[in-house]
Structure formats: C-alpha cells, structure tokens
Amino acid sequence: MDNTNNKKSLSEVSIETAYELGGHGKRNVQILIEALKDIDGNLGSDMYGKGKVIEDFQDQMAQHLGKETAVFFSSGTMAQQIALRIWSDQKEVKRVAYHPLCHLEIHEQDGLKEIHHIEPILLGEKNRLIRLEDVQNIKGDIACLLLELPQREIGGQLPDYAELEAISSYCREQGIKLHLDGARLFEVLPYYQKTADEVCALFDSVYVSFYKGIGGIAGAILAGDKDFTSQSKIWKRRYGGDLISLYPYVISSDYYFQKRVNKMAQYYEEAKELAGLFNQCHGVTTMPAEPVSNMFHVHFDVSAEQLEPILKRIYETTGVRLTQHLRNINETSCYSELAIGDLYSEVPKDKLKAAFQQLDEEIRLLL
Amino acid sequence: MDNTNNKKSLSEVSIETAYELGGHGKRNVQILIEALKDIDGNLGSDMYGKGKVIEDFQDQMAQHLGKETAVFFSSGTMAQQIALRIWSDQKEVKRVAYHPLCHLEIHEQDGLKEIHHIEPILLGEKNRLIRLEDVQNIKGDIACLLLELPQREIGGQLPDYAELEAISSYCREQGIKLHLDGARLFEVLPYYQKTADEVCALFDSVYVSFYKGIGGIAGAILAGDKDFTSQSKIWKRRYGGDLISLYPYVISSDYYFQKRVNKMAQYYEEAKELAGLFNQCHGVTTMPAEPVSNMFHVHFDVSAEQLEPILKRIYETTGVRLTQHLRNINETSCYSELAIGDLYSEVPKDKLKAAFQQLDEEIRLLL
C-alpha cells in the first residue's frame, strides 16, 4: 500500500488510469469552453432578462415543460423561494408544506423563513416519501405543497405515479398550489414512462436545474402561468438575480440540455445495473434497492474510517474509484450518493468486475 | 435623408463605418470568449464559494481595496442589500440613509424594503450630492449611510475629498457604519488622485462592480472585515447567490479588471475632452460641466423627438454615433448619459470634429 495515498483523502487519491462510476467528469472550465465552441461571438448578450439568447431558451423550456411561460434563474434556491412566496401572497397564507429533508429546509440557511417569514410544515418523516395521507392530515390552511421528484436526500425515491396524481387532485380540490422541485425531473421520466410536460401538468409551478443530470455549469428554469412568472421576475430583480448578462449560464444550460436530456434512459438503466453490483456485495445495500432514476445511495455496514482504506486499495488495484465521498450514518455504518452520468459507460467491464469482487472480499474480512 | 433609417430608433440605425463615443463596444459573447482565451480548460470550477479560482480573486480584491476580506457576488443588488442588512442587524436599528436616486431606491423593485423591512432615509435632494450637513441633520438613529461614488443618476458627480473625509469622520463618531456603493469606484480615482484602498479606508464596507468601467460580463465584490464578510456569505446562501459555479463571472471580472483598471486616467481625460466638445455647441451643456470620472450627462435644450433626427443625420454623414439613448426631461429638453471606454480613442478626430460642427449647426436652427 502506498503511504502517500494513505494520507490523502478519498477524493484526493489520483492515478492516471482513473475511472469514476458517477458523474459526467470534472467540473472544470472546459465545460464552459465546450459549450461555447459553436457559438458565434457576435451573438448579443441578454440585457436584464431581455434578448434573444435568454428569451429563446425560456420559450423552449416553457414548451418542453408544458407551461405558459418560463423564467431563467441562476439558482434554484432563488427560484423556489420566490415560487413559494408568490403562492403564499396570492392566498394570503404564509404557510407551505414540504419534506423534512427538502432543500429549502436544510441547504439554504433558512432563506424562506429569514427572507419571507413563511412557516414550513414538515410533512411525513425524514426517512420516507410524503404520502397522500400526510397531505390530507395537514392541520390548518397552507398555500402550497412542494414535492421533490426524486427525493434526493433519501436516495432519490419516487412515489408511484398514481399516488402523485392523487396528491395533485387532492391539492386542486383543496385550493393548495402544488410546486415541483424538479432539480432532477428529467432523470425520473424513464421510470415514470412520462414526458416532462405530462408530469408538470400535475403541478402549478415547476423548477428544473441544469447542473445535475444535465451537467451544465449552473442555472435553473421556473415555469408556470404568465401571472406567476411575471411576479417571479419582480422578485428576481429584488433578489439581485436579474443580472445584466446571464448568457454564460443560459448558453451552457441549453448546450448540455440538448446533449443529455435524451440520455436519461441510459443513465437509469446503468444505475440499476450498478446498484445490482453493489447489492451483490456482503454488507452493502442500495437505497432504493432498485433505482428509479440515475441516482441512488449506497449503505455500507462499516464506518467511513474502515471503508476508506478499502476504497483506496480498490482504486489503486483496478483504477476504479467507486465513490469520492463517504458520510457516516453511525459508528458502524456509512453511506455514499451516486448519480450516473457519462462516465459510467466508459469503465471497462473487467475492471468494474474486479473492483466489486475486491470490495466484497475486503468488507467480508471486517464483518 | 434615408427613409429606412428615419423609421428606425437611434440605437437601431447602423452603418458600416460606425464610431461610438461611449463604452467598450458591443456586449456580445465575444466578451466571454476573449476572457477565456488564455485559461487552461483544466482549471477547476469553484464549488459553492470555495476553490482557487474564486478565492484567489477575492484575496486579490481584498488587498486592492485594503480590506481584510472580500466576497464575490454575481450582482451588486444582492451584495448591497446584504451589507445594509448586516449593519442594521448589528446595531438593531432598521434604518439606513442614502441618496434619493440611490440604486436601491429606484432600480431594485424595493428589495431592501420587501426583503429586509429596512426603512431608508432619503438624504438631501434628487438633483445634488449628499452633504455633511444632510448627515448631521438626520433625525433619529440610523445603522448605516450609503454613499455612491460617483453619484451616477446626476451625471456622476463627486463630493470634494475633504467633505468625504468629514462625512466619514462624523459617521465614525456617531457610530454610523459607512458603506460605499463603488459601482464606479475605479473610475473616480484619477480625479481624487487616490488609490482604491485610500478611498475605501474611509468606509466600513465596500461594493465594486466589474461591468461598468471595467467592462466585464457581470459580477461584484463586497469587502469588509472578516466578521462582516462571514455574515455576508450566510446571506449570499439565503439569497440563492452562492452558486455551485461562479467562475464564468469571476474569470471575466479578473480578466477585464487587469485589462482596464489602469486605463481609468485615460478615460477620465477623454471624458473631459468630449464634454468640452459638447459644451461648445449651442443649447448643449454637460453635467458635471467638467467631468470628475469617465462619465457625464449631456443636457440638450430640445426634446428627444427634435434631437433624434439630427443625431441620425450626423451618424449618416460622419459615421459617428454621439449617443444611443435619449431621455426627455420635459417637453423642451432631453438628456443622455455617456461613459467613456475603449471606443472613444478609436474615433478619428476629423470625423469627431465634423460631427460636433453639424450638431451645433442643426441645433442652432431649432432654437
């Protein structure tokens, strides 16, 4: 074993013939250079939300999502807070509902509460999806329910489509707006066997991202009816999100959307194959057991401190990096998140097989 | 006179040998392509505010501005609202003071009020600078005074440096934080004959922009002490401004900062020369009479409707576009804003002379 690598973290270990299971590759400036390679330098910048470059992409995404209008944002954080604020203002009810591990609850420094003074009702439990009965059992009025498809923090789980339809119907009957956190919407369409606009038709407002499965640099679309998006543009200005030029993100979002939106079925099949390989190993299980998108979590019955040296040895032996980040669940188990992109299909099958054989053997010795 | 051009707006008229008085040229994608041309594609993206590309630039700007730390933002709107919120929270006083034509008051859809519920005191009058006595006469406590150098909406005027120092001293004595809206800070340094850090030393927090005189794509720096910038990062996350990747703006801000920060003295001298040419024309005056930065306003004693055909004829005869946008002040006068950049020195002197001769002659006929 290499002493140098032993001191390095899992993400720092690097050898020349490196293969990654997840992702599209390095997030470096080449991603932007590639997106610009066929763009005419004479193309004019957008100007504070106006101009061909931004309006064309917004129109294209509105059509793709089956909504009247769409607005480009540099971030989903900004777009989603604004969506919930608009629905809260419209109903004059400053309460919304979402999952306990919703992005707004755990990753945004309480922006929704600090900026909008909106009270979130945490529906259901941390370790499972929101169910229809959770929505039916909400005490008091709410303006909006946010659903995240797939629910990222629990491995990218999805409700049955019938339950999703039932929740949507219930919300319409009750006058509750339904907002889609579709950060990974494109990634779930192969499992649902639906088009984006079919899924979005169940929702009043929709956010999608261009740097998850799509693999762009940053950027988001917020879509809905004209009155909704008009109000969102006022808030975008208030937030300082209405930049004089958003085209670096617009152009790259468009480029990688075109490049990858039709590859989601491939990523989904590969995710199922890869989850199968993990599940064959002793002391390893995936969540969900069979992925319903390009992502899943892998749970290991050993701690991160025990697993890291094993993963480093596998990397050195086979050139395959199974994962870059491990998080402990408790003293005897840890997990990792994987999201399949362009890199998985580049891993030679024999090296993949060797890596999993070694993983199985080495974990067995610890259990 | 060309009938086709007659129907076009001033900004639409286009002939091949076009010269512009203001600006650095077209805001098109070439601006980004140029900034990337010497960048190694292997340079890694910043990740949520971390990483060499963003941290190096922040360190460089902190040093340039003479502040302990600096944080990169995609917009000044976001950066400045956050600055005022931090100072308001620190003092537990939700009142700040600024000029009646402050960017926060007229261009941000009342973000400061809607997001932070901070009450702005409008100091002085719309048509003049804030004076020391305005600050001394504020009734009640305020957390922060925002000064914009130069005051853009009144032609880019500046207080005498001694008055600026007196305001700064008074604020320190009174426990009022002083924030610099330095959207055009680099542009005023030649007039003040000061370095950026000398001016910034008068202020507790500083915002500078990279797409005004610097001519970048978008982007801003907020600088101050460590406690201040740490808090600003929390708000940046809340606003959805803490993007996974800001490098398209960081790299271009850095590139155009290096390219133009030392050209401000040239732009300033050229602005004084150009203002002189306008002031020699009948019925034309500049504000300020002698510019104190690269910018000034031109006031015409005719309406925009009267002046537009004249400007179009000048453009067709000489190839010099004196300005792209006119705004009426009232029925018999209008004004235009000019900010000198790289283009002015490219205008042939004979064409420039011919253009101003024609302007003088044609306006005389109307008065």
Side-chain angles (χ1 to χ4, degrees):
Chain A
M1 192 173 160
D2 182 329
N3 272 325
T4 314
N5 277 344
N6 201 19
K7 287 175 199 154
K8 289 181 181 170
S9 80
L10 202 53
S11 60
E12 285 168 344
V13 175
S14 153
I15 54 176
E16 282 199 9
T17 54
Y19 296 104
E20 298 277 345
L21 297 187
H24 301 301
K26 293 202 176 91
R27 286 187 64 86
N28 59 24
V29 178
Q30 188 55 39
I31 305 301
L32 177 58
I33 293 170
E34 180 184 331
L36 291 170
K37 71 182 193 302
D38 294 328
I39 300 288
D40 181 351
N42 292 313
L43 176 65
S45 172
D46 50 312
M47 289 286 284
Y48 301 109
K50 305 274 185 199
K52 186 171 165 55
V53 66
I54 192 165
E55 289 174 24
D56 280 1
F57 187 62
Q58 290 176 164
D59 290 348
Q60 176 193 334
M61 291 312 304
Q63 196 173 0
H64 191 85
L65 301 173
K67 294 295 176 196
E68 197 177 6
T69 47
V71 180
F72 190 87
F73 281 82
S74 53
S75 86
T77 296
M78 192 185 292
Q80 295 206 107
Q81 288 177 13
I82 287 172
L84 298 191
R85 173 61 183 260
I86 292 168
W87 296 136
S88 291
D89 279 356
Q90 190 186 82
K91 199 170 181 178
E92 297 181 2
V93 170
K94 296 211 118 184
R95 292 172 92 222
V96 299
Y98 52 55
H99 191 271
L101 298 180
C102 174
H103 196 275
L104 288 93
E105 190 64 17
I106 64 173
H107 290 308
E108 302 182 7
Q109 291 278 3
D110 280 338
L112 186 75
K113 299 162 205 168
E114 294 285 341
I115 293 177
H116 300 290
H117 311 286
I118 290 173
E119 178 197 353
I121 311 300
L122 306 185
L123 280 195
E125 291 158 41
K126 282 187 179 179
N127 61 355
R128 65 161 176 88
L129 293 170
I130 291 171
R131 299 172 192 143
L132 175 60
E133 65 192 49
D134 298 319
V135 186
Q136 290 168 330
N137 290 336
I138 295 171
K139 308 280 177 245
D141 209 359
I142 59 167
C144 179
L145 167 64
L146 177 151
L147 288 185
E148 182 186 350
L149 302 180
Q151 196 73 47
R152 184 246 179 126
E153 300 289 346
I154 51 173
Q157 297 181 49
L158 279 180
D160 288 343
Y161 201 72
E163 180 153 31
L164 191 58
E165 290 177 311
I167 292 174
S168 174
S169 296
Y170 178 80
C171 286
R172 292 226 163 124
E173 286 160 24
Q174 299 293 318
I176 298 168
K177 295 292 180 185
L178 192 58
H179 172 78
L180 172 58
D181 178 342
R184 294 164 185 82
L185 170 65
F186 308 119
E187 291 87 321
V188 307
L189 300 176
Y191 170 77
Y192 275 150
Q193 292 282 299
K194 300 284 177 189
T195 59
D197 65 303
E198 285 169 337
V199 176
C200 292
L202 303 176
F203 295 84
D204 298 289
S205 55
V206 172
Y207 142 70
V208 294
S209 170
F210 297 97
Y211 70 89
K212 279 84 181 191
I214 297 296
I217 298 169
I221 278 282
L222 184 64
D225 67 26
K226 207 165 187 168
D227 183 54
F228 172 82
T229 53
S230 295
Q231 289 182 67
S232 80
K233 287 179 185 176
I234 295 171
W235 277 105
K236 184 181 171 189
R237 171 61 63 100
R238 283 182 184 141
Y239 266 69
D242 190 24
L243 304 187
I244 184 169
S245 297
L246 281 166
Y247 72 81
Y249 296 134
V250 176
I251 288 171
S252 50
S253 293
D254 192 10
Y255 176 83
Y256 290 104
F257 178 76
Q258 303 298 339
K259 178 171 177 170
R260 298 204 176 102
V261 71
N262 293 322
K263 295 183 79 175
M264 297 298 163
Q266 175 196 321
Y267 302 152
Y268 167 51
E269 293 302 326
E270 290 170 342
K272 286 189 287 186
E273 176 186 295
L274 180 58
L277 293 172
F278 276 111
N279 284 314
Q280 282 167 22
C281 295
H282 212 76
V284 184
T285 50
T286 67
M287 169 69 71
E290 180 170 290
V292 291
S293 72
N294 73 324
M295 76 166 288
F296 56 91
H297 285 183
V298 191
H299 290 251
F300 301 92
D301 294 342
V302 292
S303 71
E305 291 69 31
Q306 290 176 296
L307 187 56
E308 280 214 5
I310 295 177
L311 294 181
K312 283 186 205 172
R313 283 195 293 272
I314 292 172
Y315 188 46
E316 286 162 5
T317 311
T318 66
V320 177
R321 183 147 55 186
L322 295 177
T323 181
Q324 290 194 34
H325 301 285
L326 292 174
R327 283 171 236 174
N328 274 323
I329 299 169
N330 53 42
E331 285 181 5
T332 58
S333 67
C334 66
Y335 83 101
S336 178
E337 180 177 288
L338 273 162
I340 299 301
D342 290 348
L343 292 188
Y344 180 76
S345 60
E346 293 173 14
V347 185
K349 294 297 172 198
D350 60 330
K351 289 189 192 294
L352 193 65
K353 192 179 161 191
F356 277 96
Q357 195 175 332
Q358 189 174 344
L359 178 66
D360 184 45
E361 286 166 6
E362 294 222 29
I363 290 186
R364 271 176 197 274
L365 297 174
L366 290 178
L367 295 174
Chain B
M1 190 172 161
D2 183 330
N3 273 324
T4 316
N5 277 345
N6 202 17
K7 287 173 198 155
K8 289 181 182 170
S9 79
L10 202 54
S11 59
E12 285 167 346
V13 176
S14 154
I15 53 175
E16 281 197 10
T17 53
Y19 297 103
E20 299 276 347
L21 297 188
H24 301 300
K26 291 201 176 91
R27 284 186 63 86
N28 58 25
V29 177
Q30 188 56 39
I31 306 301
L32 177 58
I33 293 170
E34 179 183 332
L36 291 170
K37 70 181 193 303
D38 293 327
I39 301 288
D40 182 351
N42 292 313
L43 177 64
S45 172
D46 51 311
M47 290 287 284
Y48 300 110
K50 304 275 186 199
K52 185 171 166 56
V53 66
I54 193 165
E55 289 174 24
D56 280 1
F57 187 60
Q58 290 175 165
D59 290 347
Q60 176 193 336
M61 292 312 303
Q63 196 174 358
H64 191 85
L65 301 172
K67 294 295 177 195
E68 196 177 7
T69 48
V71 180
F72 190 87
F73 281 82
S74 53
S75 86
T77 296
M78 192 184 293
Q80 295 205 106
Q81 288 177 15
I82 287 172
L84 299 192
R85 173 63 183 259
I86 292 168
W87 297 136
S88 291
D89 280 356
Q90 189 185 83
K91 199 171 182 177
E92 296 181 2
V93 170
K94 296 210 115 185
R95 292 172 93 223
V96 299
Y98 52 55
H99 192 270
L101 298 180
C102 174
H103 196 275
L104 288 92
E105 190 64 16
I106 65 174
H107 290 307
E108 301 182 8
Q109 291 279 0
D110 279 338
L112 187 75
K113 299 163 204 166
E114 294 286 340
I115 293 177
H116 299 290
H117 312 286
I118 290 173
E119 178 197 351
I121 311 301
L122 305 184
L123 280 196
E125 290 159 42
K126 282 187 180 180
N127 61 355
R128 64 162 177 86
L129 293 170
I130 292 171
R131 299 172 192 143
L132 174 60
E133 66 191 50
D134 298 319
V135 186
Q136 289 168 330
N137 290 335
I138 295 171
K139 308 276 178 251
D141 209 359
I142 59 166
C144 180
L145 168 64
L146 178 151
L147 288 185
E148 183 186 349
L149 303 180
Q151 197 73 47
R152 184 245 179 127
E153 300 289 345
I154 51 173
Q157 298 181 49
L158 280 181
D160 287 343
Y161 201 73
E163 180 153 31
L164 191 58
E165 290 176 311
I167 292 174
S168 174
S169 296
Y170 178 79
C171 286
R172 292 225 165 126
E173 285 160 25
Q174 299 293 317
I176 298 168
K177 296 292 179 183
L178 191 58
H179 171 79
L180 171 59
D181 178 343
R184 295 165 183 80
L185 170 66
F186 308 118
E187 292 86 321
V188 306
L189 300 176
Y191 170 77
Y192 276 149
Q193 292 281 300
K194 299 284 177 187
T195 59
D197 65 303
E198 284 170 337
V199 176
C200 293
L202 303 176
F203 295 84
D204 299 288
S205 55
V206 172
Y207 142 71
V208 294
S209 170
F210 297 97
Y211 70 90
K212 280 82 181 190
I214 297 296
I217 297 169
I221 279 281
L222 184 64
D225 67 27
K226 208 164 188 170
D227 183 53
F228 172 82
T229 54
S230 295
Q231 288 182 68
S232 81
K233 287 180 186 178
I234 295 171
W235 278 105
K236 184 181 172 190
R237 170 62 62 98
R238 283 182 184 142
Y239 266 69
D242 189 24
L243 304 187
I244 184 169
S245 298
L246 280 166
Y247 71 81
Y249 296 136
V250 176
I251 289 172
S252 50
S253 294
D254 192 11
Y255 176 83
Y256 290 104
F257 177 76
Q258 302 299 341
K259 179 172 176 168
R260 299 202 176 104
V261 72
N262 293 323
K263 295 183 78 176
M264 297 298 162
Q266 176 196 321
Y267 302 152
Y268 166 53
E269 293 302 326
E270 290 170 342
K272 285 190 287 186
E273 174 186 296
L274 180 59
L277 293 172
F278 276 111
N279 284 314
Q280 283 166 21
C281 295
H282 212 76
V284 183
T285 49
T286 66
M287 169 70 69
E290 180 171 291
V292 291
S293 72
N294 72 324
M295 77 166 288
F296 56 90
H297 285 184
V298 191
H299 289 251
F300 301 93
D301 294 342
V302 292
S303 71
E305 292 68 31
Q306 291 176 296
L307 186 58
E308 280 216 5
I310 295 176
L311 295 181
K312 283 187 208 173
R313 284 194 293 273
I314 293 171
Y315 188 47
E316 285 161 6
T317 311
T318 65
V320 178
R321 183 148 55 188
L322 295 178
T323 181
Q324 291 193 33
H325 302 285
L326 293 174
R327 284 172 237 174
N328 274 323
I329 298 168
N330 53 42
E331 286 180 5
T332 58
S333 67
C334 65
Y335 83 100
S336 179
E337 180 177 289
L338 274 161
I340 299 302
D342 290 347
L343 292 187
Y344 179 76
S345 60
E346 295 172 14
V347 185
K349 294 296 170 199
D350 61 331
K351 291 188 191 295
L352 193 64
K353 190 178 164 192
F356 276 96
Q357 195 174 333
Q358 189 174 344
L359 179 67
D360 184 45
E361 286 167 6
E362 293 222 29
I363 290 185
R364 274 177 196 273
L365 295 175
L366 290 177
L367 295 174

